[in-house]
Amino acid sequence: MAAIDRTRQTLVTLKKELTKLAGELAPSTRGSAFISWWTRVQLALPRALGQDHPITQRVLAVEWEKPMTIGGRVFPFGQFSEAAAREVIGLLDAAVHELDWLAAESGAFDAAGVDPELWEFVAADVQAAHWGKTVSQTALFTEDRIRRWTGQPADLVGEKLMTAVFGKDGQYRMGAIDGEREGWHRLAMGVAMAVRNPAAHRIEDRADHRRYALGALGAASLLLTQLRFEHGDRLVDRSPTHPDATPSGQTPTADSTR
């Protein structure tokens, strides 16, 4: 919920800044204040509502420069249109209400409980309630990071990847005793097979899609969190395409894992 609150406050601030800019005498679209504001809008709205949301699309398509006609030809001259400013103020207000509605519909969700890199990757989809995409992107990120961090070849995927990393002969097994190690291996297999496979092969249409998506996110986050906890000092990008990669099948040395 904290992430949604911060996003909401960002949109409110952007709306206030535009209102102030619009009240200035002959504001310019080429001035530093407008450039800074517009850049932040272009970053914030897709993160808040998603790139394909109608509000995002309308704001990003606004033509800011007021045209001037000279000799039958139309030229922009850097002064933003008051009509465009009024439109975007209204759209930002609508974006705030849309975010409130999404938060109320989805219920409280604290992003602090999710692996930070994973959350950064899926935040826009969660906040836009794109639950199917949340699941597929969660599975994609988790598999990609595990493959890269442990130096597995690019064509090793799914069940085989998780077994190579967390299985009996894996170099990144987790847990203190055999039962725990097997449990973490099975969790990784579940993320790969029960979460990744359906998301990769079919569109899920279910009434509990939000709960399902956040559950998938939680399972993947738990796996990554434990991997960081037990092997954090070894987790660098050592994929075969990376210049510092350890060749697949070669045991990393103490120096190469830092």
Side-chain angles (χ1 to χ4, degrees):
M1 199 66 175
I4 292 180
D5 289 341
R6 287 194 298 271
T7 302
R8 184 187 191 281
Q9 186 56 49
T10 296
L11 295 180
V12 169
T13 300
L14 289 169
K15 176 188 169 185
K16 290 179 179 178
E17 288 182 15
L18 177 57
T19 302
K20 181 179 178 181
L21 277 171
E24 295 178 357
L25 181 62
S28 172
T29 59
R30 298 169 191 177
S32 59
F34 178 83
I35 291 172
S36 171
W37 175 85
W38 182 229
T39 301
R40 284 179 284 129
V41 168
Q42 291 173 304
L43 293 172
L45 267 179
R47 290 173 181 169
L49 301 178
Q51 185 71 37
D52 298 327
H53 194 284
I55 293 176
T56 303
Q57 292 292 305
R58 283 188 62 181
V59 171
L60 297 184
V62 165
E63 295 184 2
W64 284 101
E65 293 191 333
K66 186 185 298 183
M68 179 172 60
T69 303
I70 302 176
R73 298 180 62 187
V74 178
F75 299 89
F77 65 103
Q79 183 178 352
F80 78 59
S81 163
E82 293 178 3
R86 288 194 298 270
E87 179 184 2
V88 174
I89 288 171
L91 288 170
L92 287 175
D93 187 58
V96 171
H97 286 284
E98 175 74 352
L99 204 60
D100 288 342
W101 181 84
L102 290 172
E105 183 188 57
S106 62
F109 178 73
D110 188 359
V114 179
D115 177 86
E117 286 187 61
L118 173 58
W119 174 250
E120 183 179 358
F121 193 73
V122 302
D125 295 317
V126 173
Q127 292 166 357
H130 295 159
W131 303 123
K133 192 174 179 183
T134 296
V135 175
S136 62
Q137 294 299 95
T138 292
L140 172 66
F141 179 90
T142 303
E143 183 172 295
D144 178 78
R145 286 304 182 270
I146 289 174
R147 184 187 302 109
R148 287 176 177 272
W149 286 343
T150 62
Q152 305 303 319
D155 59 354
L156 191 61
V157 300
E159 174 189 359
K160 292 182 179 179
L161 170 65
M162 299 309 180
T163 295
V165 174
F166 302 112
K168 185 176 180 180
D169 298 321
Q171 297 174 8
Y172 292 81
R173 301 199 76 190
M174 301 188 297
I177 59 176
D178 286 345
E180 293 175 8
R181 297 185 189 106
E182 182 64 20
W184 286 111
H185 178 206
R186 291 187 181 187
L187 175 62
M189 296 270 283
V191 170
M193 300 173 70
V195 176
R196 173 188 176 274
N197 284 351
H201 299 300
R202 62 179 179 270
I203 298 174
E204 293 278 9
D205 183 15
R206 46 194 298 167
D208 63 347
H209 215 165
R210 173 189 175 271
R211 186 179 300 114
Y212 174 76
L214 295 183
L217 181 60
S221 176
L222 176 61
L223 182 63
L224 294 176
T225 297
Q226 187 68 14
L227 183 56
R228 290 182 190 276
F229 177 75
E230 295 205 29
H231 301 290
D233 60 341
R234 303 173 63 194
L235 301 183
V236 297
D237 186 346
R238 54 184 75 259
S239 57
T241 58
H242 191 276
D244 298 326
T246 300
S248 179
Q250 177 178 318
T251 303
T253 64
D255 290 338
S256 70
T257 58
R258 296 296 189 270

